[in-house]
Amino acid sequence: GQQVMQIPQYQHVQEGEDFTTYCNSSTTLSNIQWYKQRPGGHPVFLIQLVKSGEVKKQKRLTFQFGEAKKNSSLHITATQTTDVGTYFCAGGDTDKLIFGTGTRLQVFP
Amino acid sequence: DVKVTQSSRYLVKRTGEKVFLECVQDMDHENMFWYRQDPGLGLRLIYFSYDVKMKEKGDIPEGYSVSREKKERFSLILESASTNQTSMYLCASRKQGNYGYTFGSGTRLTVV
């Protein structure tokens, strides 16, 4: 079946450093979504990418969808302690999303 | 503020019990989903529903069933709870089509 892999599993950074998480699918995706889950919380929708090669920005967050629509990345510039949490990508097919395993980000002040 | 509400935040049940997890959304969304979340495994889809009375198996449906008698309510049923069903259960809903999911706060179920 379809699988969505995410790396790294954990990332510890100093506040102010950049952070990137990568998402790879075994099949071509119709869209990719990104979610953030704060410690003790539930996943919250951040953004959706649909087009091949698409790049979207939300303040310090940059999201990319690969040309082949099989991979994606989330880059955070100059991390802050409020960025702490687990970031999930989720690949869409016509019915439902398949979630990646997530990248847990820890930011040290 | 739109919401997905799960009936219990924490639940402790005994092995063999029948367990009902309830989820209600107030957004008139067609699609609803049940996931379980375990450390290192991410979110795995148990069942989903396109609309009222409809249900589809996800990736790990064994040991679970669902009910969607009304559009706003999607129930997950553990027919005979087992210790390997100890997990965080997350309900989500979305409008029909390629839209983001809105998740509930989750139910942490412990089966002893």
Side-chain angles (χ1 to χ4, degrees), chain A:
Chain A
Q2 182 183 11
Q3 287 189 316
V4 178
M5 305 302 293
Q6 208 172 334
I7 55 169
Q9 192 173 4
Y10 302 100
Q11 185 85 55
H12 298 170
V13 299
Q14 203 75 33
E15 190 173 21
E17 291 181 340
D18 291 356
F19 159 77
T20 305
T21 173
Y22 300 91
C23 183
N24 292 286
S25 170
S26 56
T27 59
T28 302
L29 301 169
S30 61
N31 65 83
I32 192 103
Q33 297 183 5
W34 285 92
Y35 292 77
K36 177 183 178 180
Q37 184 174 23
R38 294 183 187 276
H42 56 275
V44 174
F45 174 71
L46 293 176
I47 206 162
Q48 174 171 266
L49 305 169
V50 177
K51 298 177 185 175
S52 169
E54 189 170 12
V55 178
K56 286 189 177 180
K57 292 192 175 186
Q58 285 181 350
K59 297 183 180 177
R60 294 177 295 103
L61 278 61
T62 302
F63 304 85
Q64 288 190 304
F65 200 9
E67 294 289 341
K69 300 183 77 173
K70 295 180 74 173
N71 58 74
S72 181
S73 65
L74 158 59
H75 179 82
I76 302 178
T77 303
T79 55
Q80 300 176 358
T81 54
T82 52
D83 295 324
V84 164
T86 301
Y87 292 84
F88 292 97
C89 63
D93 64 17
T94 52
D95 303 334
K96 59 191 182 297
L97 291 177
I98 305 297
F99 280 80
T101 46
T103 296
R104 193 163 84 187
L105 173 64
Q106 183 68 266
V107 179
F108 296 108

Side-chain angles (χ1 to χ4, degrees), chain B residues 69-88:
Chain B
E69 295 298 314
K70 293 186 177 181
K71 190 175 186 179
E72 67 270 20
R73 185 180 297 269
F74 192 34
S75 304
L76 179 68
I77 303 153
L78 285 67
E79 297 292 342
S80 176
S82 64
T83 54
N84 63 16
Q85 292 178 310
T86 291
S87 186
M88 170 67 84

